[in-house]
Amino acid sequence: MVFPNISDELMRMALRELEQATYHHEQWSEKLHGTLVCRAVPDKTDLEPDAHCLCRFGQWYYHTGSIALRNHPGFQEIGAEHERMHRCAAHLLRSSRDGGVVARADYERFVGALKRMTLEMSNLREELQRALFNLDPLTGAPSRIGMLTALREQQEYVRRSHACVVAMLDLDHFKSINDNYGHMVGDTVLVEVARWIMAHLRPYDKIYRYGGEEFLICLPETDATTGYDILNRFIAGIAALPFAVEGKDGFRVTASVGLADLGAQMPVERSIERADRALYLAKGQGRNRVVSWDASMDEMPAERERLA
């Protein structure tokens, strides 16, 4: 999935817009076929050099198309096929208007572009639907569904000498927030922290809600030193978030992070385990800090109870 780190609301809006644009495109296609079959007078707009920008689909694509889709390769392919299809359609309409015979090869080129555009739109719609299905319903961050698959895909880039790190981020003393302020406030904290992180990730970074108050962050094209600096900025930003509770003093939260390279020649689960061991050490060293994995941590017991 190639989507920036955006909210579930924005992704749902993008899906609605895409479905509406698809409907307008289907209406245009039906009208065009009717014009050709009945040898009716073509719509002048369809004969313009920039007809692909003037139809209702084009108006959405070039002017109001959702920001959530702009950087997706499929969205760009849709635009290319849409423009090609309109050029073919204009040629067919001119031939029909001038009383000539529509050449079979010309019609097949039009149909080919139409089919490719339709396929790209269908693929993009399905990808959006899958992405929404995989979102954690509380925080809007991707859930663990599909996480390992995505990390294994990223691991292929690591094998081609593209550095990548994974980090386990856990909110400190989260149980006390639930105990002192209630689970609804605890949920608010999780939502706000997840939103803050997503807003500050680079477009190609990924975050997953790993479970409870724990998140896994994947930072491609990043070595351990750079990742350490990035994640220190993250925990500083999280610590600065204010939380207000009616009738009680406001409070702030901190987070601890364990960092490890996404290894090229080991199971992804092993890299996650290393980040988890580093997180355990960050908790033990006083919390609100980032600790990078090193080989000495392999001596730590695999089974242990998470420090709150």
Side-chain angles (χ1 to χ4, degrees):
M1 183 189 68
V2 189
F3 292 111
N5 296 288
I6 59 174
S7 66
D8 54 342
E9 292 91 350
L10 188 56
M11 205 176 294
R12 293 181 195 281
M13 182 180 71
L15 180 59
R16 289 194 299 269
E17 288 181 357
L18 180 61
E19 289 174 341
Q20 185 65 36
T22 299
Y23 170 74
H24 291 317
H25 167 69
E26 291 171 349
Q27 282 192 317
W28 175 89
S29 178
E30 290 175 4
K31 180 181 177 182
L32 179 96
H33 278 96
T35 300
L36 292 173
V37 170
C38 301
R39 288 187 172 271
V41 177
D43 188 322
K44 291 182 179 180
T45 300
D46 290 329
L47 300 175
E48 296 290 339
D50 58 346
H52 61 286
C53 299
L54 302 176
C55 68
R56 294 191 69 178
F57 181 91
Q59 291 174 22
W60 168 76
Y61 185 91
Y62 291 105
H63 301 293
T64 61
S66 175
I67 191 173
L69 306 177
R70 286 293 180 193
N71 295 324
H72 194 289
F75 190 75
Q76 298 166 30
E77 285 298 318
I78 288 170
E81 293 298 342
H82 179 245
E83 183 176 357
R84 186 176 296 113
M85 180 199 66
H86 266 280
R87 288 201 304 267
C88 294
H91 181 71
L92 295 177
L93 290 170
R94 290 191 191 96
S95 297
S96 176
R97 179 197 62 187
D98 297 340
V101 175
V102 173
R104 184 179 185 86
D106 291 339
Y107 181 73
E108 288 177 349
R109 278 192 289 272
F110 164 73
V111 171
L114 178 64
K115 286 181 177 179
R116 289 190 297 270
M117 177 186 170
T118 301
L119 179 61
E120 290 289 352
M121 289 193 297
S122 178
N123 289 341
L124 182 56
R125 183 167 59 250
E126 289 177 8
E127 194 167 332
L128 272 168
Q129 290 170 339
R130 285 197 304 271
L132 282 167
F133 174 76
N134 290 342
L135 292 182
D136 171 56
L138 175 62
T139 64
S143 68
R144 289 176 65 172
I145 300 174
M147 180 189 73
L148 291 178
T149 298
L151 291 177
R152 290 182 186 120
E153 290 174 355
Q154 186 61 46
Q155 192 179 48
E156 290 299 315
Y157 292 98
V158 176
R159 292 176 181 139
R160 301 174 203 165
S161 301
H162 293 269
C164 179
V165 293
V166 291
M168 297 294 292
L169 182 150
D170 188 89
L171 298 184
D172 299 324
H173 301 299
F174 188 74
K175 183 177 183 299
S176 66
I177 295 174
N178 285 330
D179 291 344
N180 294 331
Y181 301 102
H183 287 275
M184 290 186 65
V185 172
D187 286 349
T188 298
V189 170
L190 288 173
V191 170
E192 292 304 316
V193 168
R195 286 179 176 174
W196 189 94
I197 295 173
M198 287 190 285
H200 290 82
L201 289 174
R202 299 165 299 184
Y204 46 86
D205 296 334
K206 298 298 176 189
I207 180 175
Y208 303 89
R209 187 180 181 192
Y210 197 76
E213 66 273 20
E214 198 167 18
F215 298 88
L216 184 142
I217 299 172
C218 176
L219 303 176
E221 305 295 338
T222 306
D223 59 21
T225 301
T226 304
Y228 182 86
D229 292 339
I230 291 172
L231 291 161
N232 266 298
R233 290 196 294 270
F234 279 11
I235 63 172
I238 291 169
L241 292 174
F243 293 96
V245 180
E246 187 175 355
K248 295 185 178 182
D249 293 336
F251 66 93
R252 298 180 189 270
V253 298
T254 61
S256 300
V257 180
L259 175 69
D261 290 318
L262 182 61
Q265 305 301 329
M266 67 174 66
V268 165
E269 294 88 343
R270 178 65 171 154
S271 295
I272 296 174
E273 181 185 330
R274 286 181 170 183
D276 197 53
R277 288 172 186 266
L279 170 61
Y280 178 64
L281 194 59
K283 294 281 189 179
Q285 291 180 353
R287 303 176 177 84
N288 192 29
R289 67 192 61 223
V290 180
V291 170
S292 296
W293 177 88
D294 64 55
S296 67
M297 297 179 194
D298 276 340
E299 303 303 319
M300 294 168 56
E303 295 296 329
R304 44 69 173 173
E305 182 177 349
R306 165 77 67 226
L307 293 172

